[in-house]
Amino acid sequence: MENEREDQQQQVPESKFLEDPAAERRLLLGYGNLDRQDDGVAWHILRTVSRRLRTALPERPEEYLYQISPHITVGFALHLIPEHAELISQFERVLFIDAHTGNIPQAVSFSRLTPRYEPSPFTHHLTPSTCLVLCETLYHRAPQAALLSIRGYRFNFSQSLSPDTYLLIEPAVQRVMLWLNEK
């Protein structure tokens, strides 16, 4: 996987994607547990991106999917499941957004993904690359995909982010905006 580090000082303009009628359909698919503190950071990032694109998402997800522009859909789930393969097969590009516990060196990590099976020691855990394999196998196509992973520091029973993870929202949002503007 190729990792890229985002320059925290770089400002990204609002997505030109909103006005481009030929734009590819893109899915921002965040996952995590909003009741386990930093595990829910993806939803905070999705809400901030949505505001940058002149759309508002609720404080807590009330639905599974939100159409925030003609070409951008936001999804949020507790964790990835095999059924997500059908959803992602409908998009040309997908960005998975999740928290990590420090097993990745960068606090905000961006990696391109390829469809490949990745075993997990947890029966309830499906990786983005494995989800792409399911998509490719079942629907004979897999979108171009990437993973944005943000460092979580606390995973207690709370709906508030830790101060350290809260500071990572802006660099993560900047990376999402860059990804949205890629051709």
Side-chain angles (χ1 to χ4, degrees):
M1 284 193 263
E2 174 183 316
N3 287 326
E4 299 174 11
R5 186 161 184 224
E6 174 57 31
D7 178 10
Q8 294 183 13
Q9 303 303 318
Q10 183 176 5
Q11 295 297 313
V12 178
E14 283 186 6
S15 179
K16 56 190 168 208
F17 215 48
L18 294 172
E19 294 83 29
D20 185 358
E24 298 172 314
R25 287 184 28 118
R26 297 175 190 215
L27 172 66
L28 303 174
L29 183 56
Y31 50 100
N33 187 339
L34 287 170
D35 295 322
R36 292 301 303 267
Q37 209 160 0
D38 294 348
D39 195 41
V41 70
W43 182 247
H44 297 272
I45 293 165
L46 293 170
R47 289 187 71 222
T48 304
V49 166
S50 171
R51 281 193 300 272
R52 298 266 168 90
L53 298 175
R54 295 172 275 186
T55 305
L57 293 177
E59 187 172 328
R60 295 188 55 82
E62 298 165 355
E63 300 174 18
Y64 170 60
L65 290 175
Y66 296 88
Q67 188 78 34
I68 62 172
S69 88
H71 307 288
I72 302 170
T73 301
V74 167
F76 187 78
L78 183 60
H79 53 262
L80 294 178
I81 57 176
E83 289 82 354
H84 284 119
E86 180 180 9
L87 171 66
I88 68 172
S89 74
Q90 300 168 31
F91 294 86
E92 285 78 32
R93 300 182 71 208
V94 62
L95 180 63
F96 296 93
I97 305 171
D98 189 23
H100 71 82
T101 59
N103 55 330
I104 299 171
Q106 300 87 8
V108 177
S109 171
F110 179 85
S111 304
R112 303 282 178 190
L113 299 174
T114 57
R116 114 177 143 242
Y117 173 72
E118 295 175 337
S120 173
F122 305 105
T123 57
H124 66 279
H125 183 74
L126 183 68
T127 68
S129 290
T130 300
C131 194
L132 290 171
V133 164
L134 289 173
C135 182
E136 191 173 67
T137 302
L138 296 172
Y139 303 100
H140 309 292
R141 66 176 308 277
Q144 182 185 65
L147 170 64
L148 181 65
S149 189
I150 299 85
R151 174 70 159 99
Y153 293 89
R154 295 189 184 141
F155 296 87
N156 299 315
F157 291 103
S158 173
Q159 294 181 357
S160 299
L161 294 177
S162 70
D164 292 327
T165 297
Y166 181 82
L167 292 174
L168 299 175
I169 290 176
E170 185 55 33
V173 168
Q174 290 293 319
R175 188 61 187 98
V176 172
M177 298 306 289
L178 285 171
W179 182 83
L180 286 173
N181 283 300
E182 288 176 1
K183 290 287 179 182

